[in-house]
Amino acid sequence: MDSERALSALAALAHPTRLDAFRLLVRHEPHGLSTGQLVEASGLSQSTFSTHLAVLAKAGLVLSEKRGRQQIQRADIGGLRALMLFLAKDCCQGRAELCEPLLAELACC
């Protein structure tokens, strides 16, 4: 990931609605949620929420797939991984022991 893509992802997450939606999608991996479920959770209109969803998708954080008659939205875990690696790549100047607490927090599964 380069700086421009990282800035796009960070800017997408810098809005409360988009951050909440993304975190909700991460919690529902790997199955995702329908667009309708996300709209309902947000309390926004379909058109307003769709704008937020488009920003997240353009930033490489959300994937959409058609399942029957529904559009299912999923967190793009690859995009999240790339952003996290970009942010922490030079962590602790190569001293792994300083990064261990961060890695332990991220090792949730």
Side-chain angles (χ1 to χ4, degrees):
M1 175 171 282
D2 60 20
S3 293
E4 188 173 324
R5 297 237 359 138
L7 287 170
S8 175
L10 292 169
L13 295 171
H15 187 281
T17 298
R18 293 190 295 264
L19 180 60
D20 289 347
F22 183 71
R23 293 185 74 215
L24 183 61
L25 288 173
V26 168
R27 285 193 299 274
H28 283 85
E29 270 302 301
H31 304 292
L33 293 170
S34 71
T35 304
Q37 290 172 306
L38 287 168
V39 168
E40 187 176 315
S42 74
L44 299 173
S45 70
Q46 173 82 30
S47 61
T48 301
F49 187 79
S50 291
T51 302
H52 289 295
L53 200 54
V55 171
L56 289 167
K58 185 175 181 184
L61 296 170
V62 171
L63 301 169
S64 180
E65 63 185 66
K66 185 106 168 130
R67 283 192 208 149
R69 296 179 64 195
Q70 294 185 324
Q71 279 299 123
I72 302 299
Q73 309 299 328
R74 294 187 50 228
D76 185 340
I77 299 302
L80 174 59
R81 181 183 305 115
L83 177 61
M84 293 171 70
L85 286 172
F86 175 83
L87 292 172
K89 190 68 172 171
D90 299 320
C91 172
C92 310
Q93 299 174 7
R95 295 176 50 203
E97 72 277 5
L98 297 176
C99 291
E100 285 175 9
L102 171 64
L103 296 174
E105 287 282 331
L106 292 174
C108 62
C109 302

